[in-house]
Structures are given as structure tokens and as C-alpha cells.
């Protein structure tokens, strides 16, 4: 799964930080979303998807490959 | 997962449900003896169709959205406007041609990009982390209120001795009102949110607060301190906008949190099982409890948006200019989104509720409200384990005609020590 964020749409409500604090943070200055992990591990993907759903401004997208692609052994 | 996407709403059949070809009047009356339940008619309407034509006391019909997915879709859709002057509300005494436009600094009644310009500098002041850093201060203020209650002795009005002072003190400090002004500030805000003060007194209090905020902005520009208003003097907001934003934050942050604390306490006292669940809840438990109380009580029960262009929704055509009245209360009780929705269940996962709204206008202060609630509810019941209503529940005065649902007072008592 890959996560995308749109900081122009973000309103800094903080729902993502409440929902998936390992994946999202807020900028201390303007409150807007900071992406901590664009390709979260399996254990955090559910929370990341919920954060995307809960985001009031639609600033978080998640994309999954149509069929499970072989995962690279290491991610940068 | 039970999440329904907004697109879901568009998949419904195009024909209106049986018996709903006529616009419905807006249901206002809650069932007698059930102060926490929505008007019964709202549930009937939602069950038949989540978006229906709405009758107005005068003028052409609008729309009423009651289903969670539809209400959420409207709130998220930039084709709908929140500008007050475009909104028609179906309540007696409301102007037939739209409300007065938003006063300067009122973020609720304006759209992007103007809304974005005002909200952006504020968002960084209300982040999850910043608000959690205030936890200790909320605990101190809460303890002071509990001390004052104990000193006064039972019975007390929980609204004026607990539910109102906590958010008042917090917003006072957040804005950066000097300590010497706290009494002035508190007196006027209490008049403003009082359920009994005469209209003229409330207007005078409002004028005094606006004058005070105007002076406070000038003082912060001259001598910045460590607070929200001082920080905002660094932005491109004008003095009038800063004072307006200060007034807006007061209006948005006092009555709402106060109502949640008082009405929430009322609900918990009426439901011993849930009160027990609150007492035994750990950190995660209290977080869930707060979300569920937000869902269940839905004190900001009704919103509205106006279509800026023709929009097809739920298989129906909303024409440009028409108002959609949004029942956040009905949406939070939608059985398609929350199983057994009319039961208060502090252990459920209530996320996705619309208690703080949705879309770009979702509550700016929600993280502060969460901190206040997660401190204040448990602290109250820990300090007064025998807390109970001092009057029969049907005698608790409700404020049904207000923007924000709640109680006009909550007489409570406890066993002395």
C-alpha cells in the first residue's frame, strides 16, 4: 500500500494523527499533515486506511495494487 | 468494516419512497421523557429515504438529509456552500431569503478560499500534540472546580460550577487574556452563555467582550506574549479579523464543550452500566467513551449547506441555490453506520461520527474538546463517587430551541464526607 497526502487540501484537523500516529504527524507550525511512512507495514495499513476515510478534507489517499504484487524484500 | 463511501449514496434507486412525495416539515420535538433521543419522525424519514424534500414555513421546499452517508457526502463536497447568506433554515422566525452574512472572523459561514486563509494560521495552534500538552493545565482547572464544588457542598448546578468554567478558563488562557482580566472575562462569557440572562444583558456582555478582544489584540501587537492571539499577530490577519477570530473561538469553544460536559454527565447518571464502564475504562477506554458521547449526544444537531450548482445525490437532483438541511443527530443514529445506534455504548468504536462535523469546516477545536472531556468526565466521578441528580430526571431543564442542544442547568448532589 502506498499513501499520498495533499497538503493543499489538508485543514489540520488532526484526525490522521489520532487514528494512525505511527503513519501521520502534524506540522508544528501550520498543523498540516506530515507523512511519516508512505508505505506502512501490514500491521499499520488498516489504521492508515481508516485515517484516509476519516480525513475531513479528503487529503489522504491510499493506493493498493489491483492484485498483490510480490513485495520487494527491503523498502527504503 | 462498515464504512460506507459517499458514492454509495448515489447507488440508491431514483424513485422516491412510498408516501414521501410531499415535502416533510422539519421534525423538532424529541420524544417525551427521552431527552437524548432524536425526534421519532427523523428516524422514520431516514428509514424511508436518507434525503427528502423539506417543507419550509414559507417559501419553496429545500432538502433534508438524515442518512450518515448522505450527510457526510454533502459536508465533504465543495459544490455545497456554508455561506450563511445562501442558507435558508426551516425554523420559525428565520429569514426566508438567507441568513445575515458571517461576521468578520466567523469561520463557519464562509467558503474557501476565504475560509482557508483564516483557518490555516489557526490550525497549527490546535494540533493534537499542542492540545495534549494542555492536559496538565486542564487537570488543574478541573481540580479547582471540584474543590469549589466540595466547598460549596451539595446540591450544586453542575453546568455553572463545572461544565462552563472549565472551557471558559481554557479558552481564556489560550487566547492570552491576562490573569487580572480573568474575572471580567469569565463574568461576561458566563452571561453570554447563561440560559437565564435577559437578552439585553447578553447583548451588553457580547459588546463588552468584543471591545475587550479589540483592545487585547492591540496589546498583543505591542507586547506579544506566549499565546494564540500574540502568535497570530505575526500573520497577515488584520486587527479586526484577529478580534473577530477571538470572538468566534469563544463562541465555538464555550457553549459546546460546556453542553457536552453537562449533558454527558446527565446521560451517564441515567445509565449506571455505562457510568461503570467509564469508571473502569483505561486510557483507550476514555478515548472511546468520549467519541461515543460525541456520537450519541450530537449536540450540534443540525447543519445546512446550499448547492452552488446542480448536484445529483441519492439519485435525486438538488438544484443550484437550494438548501440541504443536515441532521447530524440523525446521521449519528443511522443504523446503517452504527449498529444499535440509539444505545449509549461507551465501549463501541464510534469513530466516523459527525459530532464534530466533516469536510473543511470540521471543528477546529476538536482536539482541545477531546482533552477537556477525557479529563473532566473521569475526574468528576472519581471525586464524587456518589454523584447523582438532585431532581427527578424529567425536571432537568432542557434547551431544545437552541443551536446547541443541552441542559439549562443540572442540579446534582452527593453524599457529604
Amino acid at each position: 500500500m502506498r499513501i499520498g497526502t495533499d497538503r493543499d487540501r489538508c485543514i489540520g484537523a488532526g484526525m490522521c494523527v489520532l487514528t494512525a500516529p505511527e503513519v501521520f504527524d502534524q506540522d508544528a507550525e501550520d498543523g498540516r499533515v506530515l507523512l511519516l511512512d508512505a508505505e506502512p507495514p501490514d500491521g499499520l495499513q488498516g489504521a492508515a486506511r481508516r485515517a484516509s476515510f476519516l480525513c475531513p478534507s479528503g487529503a489522504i489517499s491510499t493506493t493498493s495494487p489491483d492484485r498483490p504484487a510480490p513485495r520487494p524484500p527491503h523498502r527504503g | 468494516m462498515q464504512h460506507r463511501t459517499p458514492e454509495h449514496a448515489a447507488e440508491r434507486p431514483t424513485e422516491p419512497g412510498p408516501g414521501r412525495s410531499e415535502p416533510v416539515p422539519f421534525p423538532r420535538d424529541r420524544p417525551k421523557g427521552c431527552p437524548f433521543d432524536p425526534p421519532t419522525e427523523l428516524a422514520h424519514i431516514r428509514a424511508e429515504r436518507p434525503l427528502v424534500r423539506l417543507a419550509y414555513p414559507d417559501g419553496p421546499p429545500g432538502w433534508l438529509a438524515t442518512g450518515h452517508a448522505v450527510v457526510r457526502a454533502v459536508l465533504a463536497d465543495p459544490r455545497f456552500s456554508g455561506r450563511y447568506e445562501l442558507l435558508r433554515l426551516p425554523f420559525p422566525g428565520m429569514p426566508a431569503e438567507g441568513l445575515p452574512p458571517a461576521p468578520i472572523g466567523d469561520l463557519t459561514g464562509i467558503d474557501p478560499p476565504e475560509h482557508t486563509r483564516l483557518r490555516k494560521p489557526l490550525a497549527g495552534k490546535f494540533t493534537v500534540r499542542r492540545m495534549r500538552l494542555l492536559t496538565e493545565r486542564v487537570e488543574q482547572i478541573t481540580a479547582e472546580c471540584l474543590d469549589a464544588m466540595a466547598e460549596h457542598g451539595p446540591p450544586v448546578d453542575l453546568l455553572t460550577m463545572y461544565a462552563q468554567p472549565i472551557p471558559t478558563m481554557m479558552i481564556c488562557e489560550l487566547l492570552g487574556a491576562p490573569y487580572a482580566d480573568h474575572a471580567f472575562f469569565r463574568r461576561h462569557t458566563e452571561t453570554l452563555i447563561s440560559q437565564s440572562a435577559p437578552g439585553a444583558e447578553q447583548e451588553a456582555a457580547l459588546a463588552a467582550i468584543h471591545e475587550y478582544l479589540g483592545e487585547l489584540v492591540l496589546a498583543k501587537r505591542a507586547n506579544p506574549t506566549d499565546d494564540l492571539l500574540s502568535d497570530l499577530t505575526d500573520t497577515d490577519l488584520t486587527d479586526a479579523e484577529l478580534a473577530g477570530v477571538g470572538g468566534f473561538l469563544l463562541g465555538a469553544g464555550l457553549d459546546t464543550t460546556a453542553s457536552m460536559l453537562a449533558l454527558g454527565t446527565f446521560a451517564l447518571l441515567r445509565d449506571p452500566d455505562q457510568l461503570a464502564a467509564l469508571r473502569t475504562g483505561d486510557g483507550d477506554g476514555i478515548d472511546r467513551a468520549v467519541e461515543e458521547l460525541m456520537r450519541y449526544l450530537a449536540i450540534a444537531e443540525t447543519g445546512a449547506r446550499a448547492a452552488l450548482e446542480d448536484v445529483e445525490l441519492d439519485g435525486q437532483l438538488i438544484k443550484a441555490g437550494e438548501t440541504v438541511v443536515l441532521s447530524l443527530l440523525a446521521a449519528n443514529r443511522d443504523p446503517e453506520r452504527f449498529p444499535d445506534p440509539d444505545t449509549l455504548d461507551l465501549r463501541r468504536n464510534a469513530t466516523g461520527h459527525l459530532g464534530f462535523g466533516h469536510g473543511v469546516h470540521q471543528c477546529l477545536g476538536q482536539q482541545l474538546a477531546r482533552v477537556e472531556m477525557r479529563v473532566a468526565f473521569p475526574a468528576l466521578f472519581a471525586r464524587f463517587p456518589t454523584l447523582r441528580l438532585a431532581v427527578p430526571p424529567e425536571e432537568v431543564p432542557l434547551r431544545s430551541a437552541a443551536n446547541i442542544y443541552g441542559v439549562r442547568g443540572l442540579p446534582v448532589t452527593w453524599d457529604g464526607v
Side-chain angles (χ1 to χ4, degrees):
Chain A
M1 179 172 82
R2 183 156 188 92
I3 299 174
T5 54
D6 183 342
R7 286 173 52 83
D8 285 333
R9 292 185 75 126
C10 177
I11 56 161
M15 287 310 296
C16 55
V17 181
L18 272 193
T19 310
E22 300 88 349
V23 183
F24 303 98
D25 199 356
Q26 280 174 284
D27 186 296
E29 283 306 308
D30 64 14
R32 284 187 284 172
V33 62
L34 296 175
L35 188 53
L36 302 178
D37 188 350
E39 293 182 20
D42 287 354
L44 295 176
Q45 292 187 3
R49 265 194 209 93
R50 280 194 294 282
S52 167
F53 174 81
L54 290 172
C55 174
S57 60
I60 300 171
S61 59
T62 59
T63 48
S64 305
D66 286 340
R67 55 193 163 79
R71 283 187 168 278
H74 297 289
R75 283 197 303 271
Chain B
M1 272 199 300
Q2 294 204 38
H3 294 151
R4 292 158 54 88
T5 59
E7 286 81 359
H8 216 98
E11 290 165 15
R12 287 174 180 272
T14 350
E15 280 92 78
R20 279 294 173 221
S21 45
E22 287 299 305
V24 298
F26 185 76
R28 291 187 65 93
D29 297 329
R30 292 177 182 245
K32 246 189 151 38
C34 308
F36 312 111
D37 282 349
T40 316
E41 186 59 17
L42 265 182
H44 293 158
I45 293 170
R46 187 188 53 219
E48 281 182 31
R49 188 149 203 186
L51 179 68
V52 298
R53 298 308 313 248
L54 177 66
Y56 280 69
D58 54 77
W63 297 87
L64 172 62
T66 52
H68 184 274
V70 174
V71 171
R72 192 179 190 274
V74 171
L75 289 171
D77 192 329
R79 293 175 296 173
F80 288 98
S81 168
R83 286 165 59 196
Y84 293 155
E85 64 269 31
L86 302 179
L87 301 179
R88 294 170 59 231
L89 296 183
F91 309 134
M94 287 288 173
E97 291 296 323
L99 305 170
I104 293 176
D106 181 336
L107 275 77
T108 311
I110 54 176
D111 291 342
E114 190 53 17
H115 171 263
T116 319
R117 187 181 73 81
L118 282 179
R119 177 153 177 155
K120 217 142 235 184
L122 289 167
K125 315 298 175 202
F126 287 93
T127 61
V128 172
R129 184 178 297 126
R130 247 181 212 252
M131 295 302 106
R132 282 185 181 159
L133 287 173
L134 296 176
T135 300
E136 203 175 315
R137 187 63 194 124
V138 177
E139 286 168 350
Q140 286 165 358
I141 289 170
T142 299
E144 286 165 20
C145 291
L146 292 170
D147 287 345
M149 282 171 61
E151 196 172 313
H152 179 285
V156 304
D157 176 11
L158 192 90
L159 180 69
T160 51
M161 288 204 77
Y162 195 69
Q164 288 178 344
I166 293 170
T168 303
M169 290 302 291
M170 283 312 296
I171 201 85
C172 198
E173 295 189 2
L174 208 65
L175 287 176
Y179 189 76
D181 297 340
H182 281 196
F184 163 90
F185 203 79
R186 197 170 149 184
R187 180 159 45 89
H188 286 299
T189 52
E190 275 168 12
T191 306
L192 202 60
I193 60 180
S194 148
Q195 303 299 311
S196 51
E201 236 173 75
Q202 295 203 340
E203 273 173 38
L206 184 66
I209 287 172
H210 274 286
E211 193 190 330
Y212 176 82
L213 287 170
E215 287 168 10
L216 190 61
V217 166
L218 295 181
K220 298 297 179 188
R221 268 209 203 282
N223 296 301
T225 41
D226 182 18
D227 50 62
L228 190 142
L229 273 187
S230 297
D231 288 355
L232 289 179
T233 57
D234 263 352
T235 64
D236 66 348
L237 301 192
T238 65
D239 287 353
E241 284 172 338
L242 286 177
V245 162
F248 170 73
L249 294 179
L250 274 180
L254 292 190
D255 213 6
T256 47
T257 311
S259 240
M260 273 305 295
L261 292 178
L263 192 67
T265 301
F266 184 20
L268 291 166
L269 289 174
R270 295 293 293 139
D271 197 332
D273 289 348
Q274 294 305 311
L275 183 51
L278 181 84
R279 288 179 196 279
T280 53
D282 50 8
D284 185 47
I286 182 64
D287 287 341
R288 274 182 184 245
V290 164
E291 297 307 318
E292 170 65 351
L293 285 165
M294 284 299 302
R295 179 196 75 84
Y296 182 75
L297 298 173
I299 54 165
E301 51 187 305
T302 311
R305 294 288 185 270
L308 293 169
E309 55 185 270
D310 290 0
V311 177
E312 202 183 316
L313 192 61
D314 185 45
Q316 305 178 81
L317 185 67
I318 298 167
K319 293 220 175 90
E322 289 182 328
T323 293
V324 186
V325 171
L326 307 165
S327 176
L328 305 176
L329 176 60
N332 275 1
R333 301 294 189 95
D334 185 346
E336 292 197 32
R337 180 63 183 78
F338 300 103
D340 197 9
D342 293 323
T343 299
L344 176 68
D345 177 4
L346 298 188
R347 294 186 181 91
R348 83 160 80 217
N349 177 2
T351 56
H353 67 76
L354 302 176
F356 287 117
H358 188 68
V360 297
H361 290 288
Q362 194 182 53
C363 181
L364 173 72
Q366 58 180 295
Q367 309 303 349
L368 174 60
R370 285 189 171 96
V371 169
E372 290 171 327
M373 286 187 278
R374 60 170 293 157
V375 169
F377 280 122
L380 174 66
F381 294 106
R383 180 69 173 265
F384 301 111
T386 59
L387 194 82
R388 58 189 179 274
L389 292 178
V391 297
E394 60 275 14
E395 285 177 23
V396 172
L398 300 165
R399 48 187 301 200
S400 44
N403 249 348
I404 303 290
Y405 186 62
V407 294
R408 286 186 285 118
L410 190 70
V412 293
T413 188
W414 60 90
D415 296 336
V417 284

